[in-house]
Structure formats: structure tokens, C-alpha cells
Amino acid sequence: MFFAVLFLIFFLFHPPVFPTTKQIIPTKVGVESSIDSVFHVGEELVYNVSYLYFDIGQIRIKVRDKVKHNGNIIYKTIAYIDSYENVPFVNLHAIFESDIDTSLNPVKFTAKQKENGTWSSTIYTFDYNQNFMFVD
């Protein structure tokens, strides 16, 4: 639970890192490319989490889809955070789903966590025009 709250605070409530205009990303050879070259549908990143010399879990992040919503391109991503079954004192299972616009701002964020065998979820929806965040 602590790590989920920490993730939420750090990644969702910090000021945007990128300007809201179209992103131009320099590449190694000096050729400019758009944000479309950063996210690739189907791309999956897997991180094995360890503490000292012990493997304690795994984080899998995947770009699931690229859709057009209200004239804007939205990338749908999902992150699975799981501790390994044999690790004592750690039992973490969470799923984070994010809909991200081309400015890398979250449009919608869903947090699902398993505690004591029961899944709970919270949905955050962002309205940047009105400076609101809705929580369900």
C-alpha cells in the first residue's frame, strides 16, 4: 500500500515535465522525431526488483493501445506490480492503468490493489481545462 501511494504522489501530482506543445525528441543521430516514436503499441518492459541480493518481485509495463478520443491521441498503458510468492514479509499485487496524452499528461488513472485477498480500485480522471481531478 505504501509503495502504491508513493507512486501515485510522485508520478501524478508533480508538475508536467514536458510543455503542452507537440514533443520533439532528439535522437542519437540528431534527427527529430515525435512522441509517437516513444510509445509503441505492444511494447512491454519488465523490471526485476531486488533488494541486496534477493529478488523480491517484478514490474511489467505495457503499452496496450493507441486510440483517438475527442480528437486527441491517447496511449493506454498498464503496469503490473507483483511480489514473488516465496518472499517473506512482502505481499504486493497491484495493477495501474494509465491513459496518457501526447503531452505525457495522464487523462485517466486506475489503481487496483490486492490486500488481504480482496481487490480494491480507485479511478482518477483529470480535466486540465477546468483544473479538476475526479476520484471514484
Side-chain angles (χ1 to χ4, degrees):
M1 177 69 177
F2 172 75
F3 293 111
V5 171
L6 184 64
F7 175 86
L8 183 66
I9 290 170
F10 181 75
F11 287 105
L12 291 181
F13 298 109
H14 72 285
V17 176
F18 301 101
T20 57
T21 59
K22 183 177 177 182
Q23 282 293 297
I24 303 298
I25 302 162
T27 62
K28 291 181 184 177
V29 294
V31 177
E32 294 181 343
S33 62
S34 69
I35 198 69
D36 290 331
S37 67
V38 175
F39 292 119
H40 300 283
V41 174
E43 179 179 23
E44 185 169 355
L45 303 174
V46 178
Y47 297 95
N48 291 316
V49 181
S50 62
Y51 180 74
L52 298 176
Y53 298 105
F54 303 101
D55 290 333
I56 60 173
Q58 188 176 76
I59 300 172
R60 292 181 297 131
I61 303 169
K62 184 174 183 177
V63 179
R64 294 185 341 180
D65 202 2
K66 176 182 172 181
V67 298
K68 198 169 234 185
H69 180 70
N70 293 335
N72 298 318
I73 295 174
I74 303 294
Y75 292 92
K76 295 184 170 285
T77 64
I78 191 163
Y80 300 95
I81 303 172
D82 293 299
S83 60
Y84 292 138
E85 297 294 327
N86 298 340
V87 178
F89 309 112
V90 178
N91 188 11
L92 177 63
H93 302 285
I95 301 171
F96 296 142
E97 297 179 61
S98 295
D99 294 354
I100 304 168
D101 66 15
T102 56
S103 298
L104 297 181
N105 290 319
V107 176
K108 183 178 177 184
F109 176 79
T110 304
K112 299 174 186 174
Q113 299 181 119
K114 185 177 182 181
E115 290 186 42
N116 300 324
T118 304
W119 284 92
S120 63
S121 66
T122 307
I123 300 171
Y124 303 85
T125 306
F126 302 90
D127 185 343
Y128 294 101
N129 293 329
Q130 296 184 17
N131 291 323
F132 281 118
M133 178 182 74
F134 302 96
V135 180
D136 290 326

